[in-house]
Amino acid sequence: MDIGVVGSGALGLYYGAMLQRSGQSIRFLLRRDLQAISDSGLLVHSVNGDFHLPKLAGFATPQEIGPVDLVLVGLKTFANQHLVDLVRPLVGKETAILTLQNGLGNEELLADAFGAKRILGGIAFLCSNRGEPGEVHHLGEGRIRLGEFSGGLSERSRQLADMFQMAGVPCETVDDLHKARWEKLVWNIPFNGLSALLNKDVTHLLSHPPTRQLVREIMHEVIAGANAQNLKEPIAGEEFSARMIHFTDQMDHYRPSMMIDRAEQRPLELEAIYAIPLQLAATAGISMPRIAMLYSLLALGEGDRK
Amino acid sequence: MDIGVVGSGALGLYYGAMLQRSGQSIRFLLRRDLQAISDSGLLVHSVNGDFHLPKLAGFATPQEIGPVDLVLVGLKTFANQHLVDLVRPLVGKETAILTLQNGLGNEELLADAFGAKRILGGIAFLCSNRGEPGEVHHLGEGRIRLGEFSGGLSERSRQLADMFQMAGVPCETVDDLHKARWEKLVWNIPFNGLSALLNKDVTHLLSHPPTRQLVREIMHEVIAGANAQNLKEPIAGEEFSARMIHFTDQMDHYRPSMMIDRAEQRPLELEAIYAIPLQLAATAGISMPRIAMLYSLLALGEGDRK
């Protein structure tokens, strides 16, 4: 399959590399890593074993990539104002678009530009970060849950899941992508924001009883917001939050992406992870006071970036 | 009047110096500043004009001070576990105790140890900080509102107010000290905590619309908690919060004491300003979710101090 990767940060590079290694044909839209990768390929440092891809098809503009069968979107959502322009040159008659970005609003943005039928979304449980140019670090996990933006289980989504599976990436299909996105937010909203705000990893956050309680309260606000969104089935509140916290207790001082973004003075993905969920909840009559507060506190700090 | 000052930080030194200059007899319990003040007295840098007191009666232990007519308490509340032991040697048969400390719980602590009748409380609107040993900086304001712990207007409280007035310290009596304390919390709870958490002065906090809105919401939580405390008259919600915000808009990049405490790695006054108000509100059936969250976020950071 001809695949174009837009947004070749840690996530785009890692999944693109895994797919290329399994025999797919990948074209990467590169910026920072273009020169290094053209010179010496891509080195993937992975918990599952390092590997090196000596040749990658890297391009500086989406026009050079041209139409593909599948666009894989890994762009950080704070750059979403460029998303449609970056994707458009890759879209041919039959092109599908799979966004693996964080939070809400990404499928909608793509659907408005290219039609809902082309769009799939995936939730990536990936712990990775960029290293030196030409290198990427896979620190753990990697699982993807993907589904149709328009809902339901399609043959296309099963084929994509198979493709990832064959590339060594655990992947399952979901028939309610919207629910899957909200389920991920149950984790992202408390842990991304609190870790960025306080500069504390998840183990620190959970080892302090008042913050552990706050994480739980924030999760329940997310679940209340989610369950007002006409999901096919509601998220089971206490059970789901307990499971998320237990799951996070197993992580050893994991630093969520937003904590790293702030530490490295990058913008935060506040729109996709906070503003849009808050707005959708408010439209459904659900107030999420702690999340609104967390969003305000994070937004204030954004003024400090150079 | 023979006055003993317990807790000779910026506040205790400033008010003690003003009273001594006006002719009162003051004995200071000193620690950090003892040597410097014994050598060369106290220098007050004040927006109203600097002055120097060449001789101050400074003591290293409360036993050396002995009984006085009035104990003036300026101790930071995070040292309240020492308060009763520090005050006891100063208490004679007729001694009154006036605490100018922040937040709630201070009068109660003193009343439990020395009897409610001795106790008065004052709310100090003072912008000051310590300089080098032997110096104190008065940056603005200084007004005191004081009243009887047991309520009502007493001859004693009027006399104390007159004494401060004659010393150049604007001072008024209040017949509902508890209400006056809660009114001060309407300011302290949002501005102290948010400034310490985000390392932003009040002007920064108010210039960012979402934080300005958060300040207002937190003020309304405090007012709801206050108005469940059997005050003689309720605090008028919208009007009072609007006045507090307007008042703060006039301050030019003011740094609340808690912001300075955190920047200088001192403990924060979390018990008096957050924990006790939260507990009193909860007992009255009032939930203050944003304040509870702010308290948790501040408390987590306390683990970082050396």
Side-chain angles (χ1 to χ4, degrees), chain A residues 194 197-198 200 204-205 208 210-211 214 217-218 287 289-294 296-301 303-304, chain B residues 194 197-198 200 204-205 208 210-211 214 217-218 287 289-294 296-301 303-304:
Chain A
L194 292 173
L197 181 67
L198 299 165
K200 302 281 182 196
H204 278 127
L205 293 175
H208 179 67
T211 322
L214 177 60
E217 290 165 353
I218 291 176
S287 146
R290 294 172 185 84
I291 299 172
M293 176 163 164
L294 184 54
S296 297
L297 298 174
L298 291 163
L300 183 61
D304 295 342
Chain B
L194 292 173
L197 181 68
L198 299 166
K200 302 282 183 198
H204 277 127
L205 293 175
H208 179 66
T211 323
L214 177 60
E217 290 166 352
I218 291 176
S287 147
R290 293 172 186 85
I291 300 172
M293 176 163 165
L294 184 54
S296 297
L297 298 174
L298 291 164
L300 183 62
D304 295 341

Side-chain angles (χ1 to χ4, degrees), chain B residues 36 101 128:
Chain B
Q101 297 169 282
S128 63

Side-chain angles (χ1 to χ4, degrees), chain B residues 201-273:
Chain B
D201 62 47
V202 298
T203 306
H204 277 127
L205 293 175
L206 289 178
S207 65
H208 179 66
T211 323
R212 191 180 180 92
Q213 174 60 17
L214 177 60
V215 165
R216 194 189 317 273
E217 290 166 352
I218 291 176
M219 286 183 169
H220 288 163
E221 288 190 1
V222 184
I223 292 169
N227 288 341
Q229 304 297 319
N230 296 315
L231 308 183
K232 287 188 186 168
E233 283 178 28
I235 301 174
E238 286 294 341
E239 182 196 322
F240 193 78
S241 65
R243 184 143 51 91
M244 285 289 106
I245 288 174
H246 177 73
F247 168 68
T248 315
D249 275 332
Q250 316 308 312
M251 300 180 182
D252 185 22
H253 292 283
Y254 179 65
R255 304 171 76 225
S257 61
M258 194 173 278
M259 177 179 176
I260 297 173
D261 284 340
R262 175 144 288 181
E264 299 186 354
Q265 305 215 349
R266 283 194 294 267
L268 306 186
E269 298 192 288
L270 295 184
E271 190 74 10
I273 296 180

Side-chain angles (χ1 to χ4, degrees), chain B residues 5-15 28-37 42-45 59 74-76 78-79 126-140 254-255 257 260-261 264 266-267:
Chain B
V5 176
V6 169
S8 305
L11 179 142
L13 283 174
Y14 173 70
Y15 286 126
F28 294 86
L29 180 63
L30 297 176
R31 202 170 44 181
R32 193 199 71 164
D33 290 37
L34 182 59
Q35 192 59 53
I37 285 180
L42 178 69
L43 183 58
V44 180
H45 302 275
F59 300 88
L75 199 70
K76 283 274 190 180
F78 54 71
L126 174 68
C127 177
S128 63
N129 57 50
R130 298 170 82 168
E132 297 298 300
E135 304 190 10
V136 65
H137 295 266
H138 170 223
L139 307 172
Y254 179 65
R255 304 171 76 225
S257 61
I260 297 173
D261 284 340
E264 299 186 354
R266 283 194 294 267

Side-chain angles (χ1 to χ4, degrees), chain A residues 264-290:
Chain A
E264 299 186 355
Q265 305 214 349
R266 281 195 295 266
L268 306 185
E269 298 192 288
L270 296 184
E271 191 73 12
I273 297 181
Y274 294 94
I276 295 176
L278 277 163
Q279 197 183 320
L280 288 173
T283 302
I286 302 293
S287 146
M288 311 198 291
R290 294 172 185 84

